[in-house]
Amino acid sequence: MKVGVLALQGSVAEHLKLITSVNKKIEAVPVRTVDELASVDGLIIPGGESTTLRKLIDEFDLFTPIKVRVEAGMPVWGTCAGLILLANKIEGERPYFSLLDVDVVRNAYGRQINSFVAEGDFADMYINMVFIRAPKITRVGGNVEVLGVHDGVPVAVRQGHILATAFHPEVVSRDNRVHKYFLSMIESKE
Ligand code: GLN
């Protein structure tokens, strides 16, 4: 199995490290080109700055190739800015990939200084959730499963082969369980 992390901006190295920590036989590679994208079985769109990321994805001609592969069933996981890019609706902005039936509000928890760590449920696990200028999910479509909630707000959702988290599991470097969960989504596709 080969897993890619979109490596244009944001937390890339942390994701790569955590993927291989689940299983050394899994190849984890940065993705910057169409050929690299074609070679992976699943893709992580990391957190960072969604405005920058969308510009870079356009510039690297990766918008259509990513959209087409996800529509064809490639598992994808968007964290934070990645969630924003996947959402069907972004308050005050035009949506980007429109692949995930949720609405989001960017920077809804406040400024950088209001970033925080919380504990909460993710699927059947109890994990640490690091929120860094996170988006808030304000609506969840009927075919979207809520995997995690913080303060009554969904923070982890899944729509079939599409996973999205408002928080950053890659920051908690000793805990690879959310990565393990995503890898099992890829495995079940193969
Ligand atoms: N605030 C960023 C944005 O709106 C997301 C932050 C993050 O990915 N940690 O794009």
Side-chain angles (χ1 to χ4, degrees):
M1 185 198 297
K2 195 164 165 182
V3 183
V5 180
L6 186 67
L8 303 177
Q9 192 257 333
S11 47
V12 176
E14 295 87 344
H15 278 296
L16 293 172
K17 218 184 273 172
L18 278 164
I19 293 166
T20 31
S21 84
V22 174
N23 181 343
K24 289 210 168 33
K25 286 190 197 131
I26 296 172
E27 232 186 302
V29 294
V31 167
R32 290 190 193 87
T33 66
V34 176
D35 286 348
E36 285 165 351
L37 175 69
S39 77
V40 298
D41 305 302
L43 181 73
I44 296 176
I45 303 177
E49 170 59 44
S50 59
T51 330
T52 310
L53 267 166
R54 62 201 285 167
K55 279 186 193 147
L56 289 170
I57 293 169
D58 288 345
E59 223 162 274
F60 282 71
D61 293 324
L62 284 168
F63 176 82
T64 305
I66 292 174
K67 179 141 172 143
V68 166
R69 284 236 35 214
V70 177
E71 279 171 346
M74 178 186 69
V76 67
W77 171 19
T79 59
C80 205
L83 154 66
I84 295 167
L85 297 184
L86 291 171
N88 273 0
K89 202 165 156 204
I90 307 168
E91 195 197 57
E93 283 176 29
R94 79 186 151 82
Y96 195 61
F97 286 122
S98 296
L99 286 163
L100 173 65
D101 193 17
V102 299
D103 296 355
V104 296
V105 178
R106 290 180 60 200
N107 304 324
Y109 293 95
R111 300 171 48 199
Q112 196 78 23
I113 195 165
N114 300 318
S115 294
F116 62 99
V117 184
E119 288 178 340
D121 291 309
F122 172 84
D124 56 354
M125 306 168 246
Y126 195 65
I127 62 166
N128 274 308
M129 299 171 170
V130 180
F131 294 87
I132 306 169
R133 289 192 78 208
K136 215 173 240 180
I137 298 175
T138 52
R139 187 195 61 87
V140 170
N143 51 353
V144 176
E145 186 188 348
V146 175
L147 295 175
V149 175
H150 174 260
D151 248 359
V153 177
V155 290
V157 291
R158 177 174 175 179
Q159 180 184 314
H161 61 291
I162 302 174
L163 175 68
T165 54
F167 54 90
H168 285 257
E170 81 283 4
V171 173
V172 189
S173 57
R174 285 150 302 167
D175 191 347
N176 61 17
R177 288 176 297 164
V178 184
H179 289 76
K180 203 170 180 177
Y181 180 92
F182 180 58
L183 295 175
S184 72
M185 282 172 59
I186 303 175
E187 228 160 46
S188 65
K189 273 264 157 194
E190 286 187 334

